[in-house]
Amino acid sequence: MKLIYFSITGQTRRFVNKTNLEHEEILPNDPEFEANEDFLIIVPSYADETPGAEKSMDIMDPVFEFMSYANNAHYCKGIVGTGNRNFASLYIFTAKELSAQFQIPIVYDFEFNGTPSDVAAVEDIAARLESGANISLKS
């Protein structure tokens, strides 16, 4: 299964490049492309010095534009959130907002650019989703 991701700082890109999965990046200046195949989306959350959801959401607008474009949300089979637990309630905030808006489950989350265990977990989730198997959702 393909990974589609968004990365400003490069942390998410570094994670995705560690996987053996096909991937494509949502670019801030060109977020409207058609997926046309099943995928997992990996999204970070960002906060400014005084963390607030509004600032985080402004940075993530291209992700919501991508998901709203054509039938992209239909092809999204799960959301992987990444961030920094120090952001408290903003940890994986974007993933939570995408899940609520598009009714797509969060299947995994990790910090920063992930560990080898995180890479293996995402590859396993992608393989199981691609084969049609049920997965336990991340709580």
Side-chain angles (χ1 to χ4, degrees):
M1 178 167 293
K2 186 176 198 172
L3 300 178
I4 294 182
Y5 69 98
F6 185 75
S7 186
I8 295 290
T9 65
Q11 295 271 28
T12 307
R13 185 179 306 108
R14 279 190 287 281
F15 176 84
V16 169
N17 285 332
K18 291 186 230 178
T19 73
N20 293 314
L21 300 169
E22 179 185 350
H23 53 272
E24 188 166 356
E25 185 171 0
I26 299 168
L27 301 173
N29 60 346
D30 190 21
E32 294 181 341
F33 62 91
E34 289 188 57
N36 291 327
E37 64 183 297
D38 291 347
F39 66 91
L40 282 176
I41 190 164
I42 302 183
V43 293
S45 292
Y46 299 108
D48 59 7
E49 288 106 24
T50 55
E54 191 172 306
K55 177 69 173 173
S56 181
M57 293 306 295
D58 289 347
I59 295 169
M60 299 307 293
D61 280 347
V63 172
F64 288 84
E65 290 174 32
F66 166 77
M67 288 294 287
S68 296
Y69 186 73
N71 287 320
N72 289 348
H74 168 78
Y75 289 107
C76 184
K77 301 306 174 194
I79 301 166
V80 176
T82 181
N84 182 335
R85 282 183 167 70
N86 288 337
F87 292 164
S89 65
L90 290 182
Y91 177 68
I92 71 165
F93 181 81
T94 305
K96 292 173 186 174
E97 287 296 308
L98 281 174
S99 179
Q101 184 171 335
F102 295 100
Q103 300 299 298
I104 299 168
I106 296 171
V107 295
Y108 196 76
D109 66 82
F110 61 91
E111 279 194 284
F112 305 113
N113 63 348
T115 65
S117 295
D118 294 322
V119 171
V122 169
E123 288 177 334
D124 181 60
I125 289 166
R128 289 188 289 151
L129 285 171
E130 191 166 45
S131 72
N134 290 327
I135 61 167
S136 298
L137 300 182
K138 185 77 175 179
S139 55

